[in-house]
Amino acid sequence: MSEKQEFTFFENVERSFDKAAKFTKWDLGVLEQIKACNSVYRMRFPIKRDNGTIEVIEAYRVQHSHHKSPCKGGIRFSDEVNQDEVMALASLMTYKCAIVNVPFGGGKGGIKINPRNYSPYELEKITRRYTSELVKKNFIGPGIDVPAPDYGTGEREMAWIVDTYTSLKPGEIDAAGCVTGKPVTQGGVRGRKEATGLGVFYGIREVCNMPEVMKKLGLSTGIEGKSVIVQGLGNVGYHSAKFFREHGAKVIALAEYEGAIFNAAGLNEHEVFLHRQKTGSILDFPGATNLAKNTDALEMECDILIPAALESVITKENADRVKAKIIGEAANGPCTPDADEIFLKKNILCVPDMYLNAGGVTVSYFEWLKNLSHVRYGRMEKRFTENLNGKIINEIESLTGKKVGAEEKAIILHGADEVDLVHSGLEETMIAATREIMDIWLNNDDIPDMRTAAYVSAINKVATSYAELGIFP
Ligand code: GLU
């Protein structure tokens, strides 16, 4: 391929896949099937705007793989939505779910609108109509395809989706499992909102706790004291910044589409969020310096750079100027394969999206399980654990004649709530996935980077579950 050729997002996913496929033993046909997008549904429907005009909306749902059911993946609202993008994102979902052992095929949806240009009433009409289009073609359902939030959508949109779905499917007992990322009052699970950002933190923390990996980068182990830059202050960026700050890292710069700010002493993402809410911009935050361009934040000196917005922000054009030691891909596809080649030369460790940002879908899986089981996590065992722990403490106190301190007692007595279980399930998932990928990477000298190792893991897992192709482990 010529140097100058530009690749689409989907082509870039395919390129990364092909790079990794060489390190697996599967025959070409199997690899072709894994790569292919199984179903693409492109729709157009009209809505009446608040001013009385009719607008035709373009939207998509892609099911990349049916090797497991249901398909799973978010819905984004963005001006940039197109078929290629949704296909790329659906593919990433397949690999992401495989890596973290979440038993779903990959899916993704998109509506080509800038939500800022629509009133809440218009957005509700668009979301409900989109849902009914999905129902019509059997592209949604707890056992078929389960959407979730993505760029430009959140709990509110998921509540509209579940409400539309349940009203069209009366009596369907598991209907709440047709979408995840719902408000807790509508069948959501506690801990879903912060899940992607918290997963990013757990994943990077695990990498930073690996002495041999840190040594190669010239960094000390641990999160404490590390400088972090976060691009994007949406749900994922906000929570990533929050968890890094709360664990002793310094968030020295934050970027949004209107600009970027810097403060060597560290920024508090919540104060910046409130400032942005009040003034409409991240810029002119008290104590911080405005950067000339928002992209400048990607090129500043720091230990950890977290791109948490959209795809293809680090390419062959700017990868040479990136000075971070670690890049944590919180967004989907923020770095292109050409950028990967440059990172390799510059000894930058890129921790890949398809597992690092899997916290969202992991907790979506917990939410879906909760919906199918119709019971809140912790409901059955919380009190039992607390009673048992109380008896153990009493026994220890009577045997030793000493009293356990009030603070320790409260910690030991505590039975797990839903949010405790969700966070611990997420922590376990991210730690296990990091170790699994690192093992593949560090035990094969020919595998050039962590992304390729992640793809190898994903390809092996998807291939072994293709029972209809006669492949058995
Ligand atoms: N949109 C998120 C992602 O890209 C979450 C998907 C989900 O929870 O299904 O991973």
Side-chain angles (χ1 to χ4, degrees):
M1 304 236 182
S2 89
E3 261 287 283
K4 282 205 177 63
Q5 189 174 350
E6 292 300 334
F7 295 94
T8 68
F9 188 10
F10 184 61
E11 284 167 347
N12 275 334
V13 173
E14 290 195 311
R15 287 168 76 201
S16 298
F17 181 101
D18 292 339
K19 188 168 155 190
K22 293 199 289 272
F23 301 103
T24 70
K25 62 179 175 25
W26 308 105
D27 76 44
L28 220 59
V30 174
L31 294 168
E32 281 305 307
Q33 172 53 47
I34 296 174
K35 243 194 327 182
C37 265
N38 287 358
S39 319
V40 179
Y41 177 17
R42 171 180 174 276
M43 64 201 99
R44 297 242 172 161
F45 53 81
I47 64 136
K48 193 178 247 170
R49 304 276 324 240
D50 291 345
N51 65 10
T53 59
I54 307 282
E55 189 175 313
V56 180
I57 304 290
E58 179 181 331
Y60 301 87
R61 183 73 191 174
V62 172
Q63 296 172 352
H64 170 257
S65 176
H66 297 115
H67 72 289
K68 301 246 166 170
S69 285
C71 290
K72 189 86 191 76
I75 297 176
R76 67 170 53 178
F77 286 2
S78 144
D79 260 345
E80 308 297 318
V81 162
N82 59 66
Q83 185 174 321
D84 181 90
E85 183 193 63
V86 187
M87 284 166 65
L89 293 165
S91 315
L92 287 174
M93 286 308 301
T94 295
Y95 309 135
K96 188 185 303 192
C97 291
I99 291 171
V100 291
N101 300 320
V102 163
F104 297 139
K108 202 75 165 201
I111 304 186
K112 191 177 163 54
I113 53 166
N114 178 349
R116 281 187 203 89
N117 299 339
Y118 295 80
S119 70
Y121 179 59
E122 290 170 332
L123 289 172
E124 179 170 353
K125 278 205 280 190
I126 293 169
T127 309
R128 287 186 182 277
R129 177 63 189 256
Y130 176 75
T131 310
S132 59
E133 293 295 326
L134 294 178
V135 170
K136 259 197 249 174
K137 292 276 194 290
N138 219 13
F139 255 69
I140 184 171
I144 298 168
D145 190 351
V146 181
D150 198 83
Y151 188 84
T153 58
E155 288 187 349
R156 177 183 65 170
E157 287 72 19
M158 303 308 116
W160 290 330
I161 292 174
V162 72
D163 185 58
T164 309
Y165 183 86
T166 42
S167 67
L168 292 173
K169 300 266 185 178
E172 199 180 282
I173 187 78
D174 293 328
C178 75
V179 65
T180 59
K182 304 178 291 290
V184 173
T185 51
Q186 312 303 121
V189 73
R190 289 160 187 84
R192 173 64 184 84
K193 206 179 198 160
E194 67 272 29
T196 311
L198 184 56
V200 167
F201 170 74
Y202 284 146
I204 295 290
R205 185 189 65 183
E206 191 57 20
V207 170
C208 288
N209 283 341
M210 296 176 166
E212 69 283 19
V213 178
M214 288 301 102
K215 201 168 151 214
K216 266 198 235 154
L217 299 172
L219 290 171
S220 56
T221 52
I223 288 292
E224 186 128 17
K226 291 223 165 28
S227 55
V228 178
I229 294 178
V230 179
Q231 181 234 12
L233 202 57
N235 180 41
V236 178
Y238 173 91
H239 284 105
S240 302
K242 174 176 189 278
F243 293 114
F244 277 109
R245 179 183 55 75
E246 286 178 355
H247 289 83
K250 236 189 273 173
V251 180
I252 58 167
L254 286 169
E256 253 298 338
Y257 76 103
E258 70 273 10
I261 53 171
F262 168 77
N263 184 343
L267 294 157
N268 179 307
E269 73 297 327
H270 191 63
E271 286 167 13
V272 176
F273 175 81
L274 293 177
H275 168 81
R276 187 168 187 242
Q277 225 174 21
K278 201 165 90 193
T279 66
S281 167
I282 198 174
L283 296 169
D284 302 324
F285 181 70
T289 319
N290 293 338
L291 300 179
K293 292 188 272 102
N294 59 359
T295 47
D296 289 351
L298 300 170
E299 298 169 17
M300 289 180 67
E301 199 106 29
C302 67
D303 296 323
I304 303 168
L305 171 65
I306 307 284
L310 287 174
E311 60 266 18
S312 306
V313 291
I314 305 178
T315 65
K316 64 176 174 221
E317 308 305 331
N318 60 352
D320 244 336
R321 299 193 295 274
V322 170
K323 293 177 203 72
K325 307 256 177 22
I326 301 172
I327 298 176
E329 292 189 318
N332 287 308
C335 306
T336 64
D338 295 312
D340 278 345
E341 302 293 327
I342 298 170
F343 297 154
L344 216 57
K345 286 190 206 124
K346 295 186 65 173
N347 192 30
I348 294 173
L349 172 64
C350 182
V351 185
D353 50 358
M354 38 189 289
Y355 105 90
L356 190 66
N357 71 23
V361 75
T362 301
V363 175
S364 276
Y365 171 47
F366 301 156
E367 178 175 334
W368 180 76
L369 292 173
K370 174 186 183 182
N371 296 148
L372 299 193
S373 63
H374 301 261
V375 63
R376 167 174 54 82
Y377 288 105
R379 177 167 176 180
M380 306 300 282
E381 64 273 34
K382 180 179 166 65
R383 186 67 51 182
F384 180 84
T385 311
E386 290 181 351
N387 290 341
L388 183 65
N389 291 350
K391 284 186 188 126
I392 295 171
I393 289 180
N394 288 345
E395 193 63 20
I396 291 172
E397 285 181 342
S398 76
L399 284 173
T400 61
K402 290 181 187 154
K403 287 268 170 225
V404 176
E407 215 172 294
E408 288 75 28
K409 201 168 182 166
I411 294 169
I412 298 167
L413 274 179
H414 177 78
D417 287 315
E418 182 163 85
V419 73
D420 302 319
L421 294 167
V422 164
H423 283 178
S424 91
L426 175 61
E427 185 174 11
E428 167 61 18
T429 303
M430 294 309 297
I431 290 175
T434 309
R435 291 186 184 167
E436 206 173 300
I437 293 167
M438 277 295 183
D439 265 358
I440 295 176
W441 185 32
L442 301 179
N443 289 319
N444 186 334
D445 291 341
D446 296 329
I447 294 184
D449 49 32
M450 218 180 152
R451 187 186 317 282
T452 309
Y455 267 97
V456 168
S457 161
I459 293 170
N460 286 337
K461 288 184 186 181
V462 178
T464 48
S465 61
Y466 259 118
E468 72 263 36
L469 295 177
I471 302 163
F472 302 104

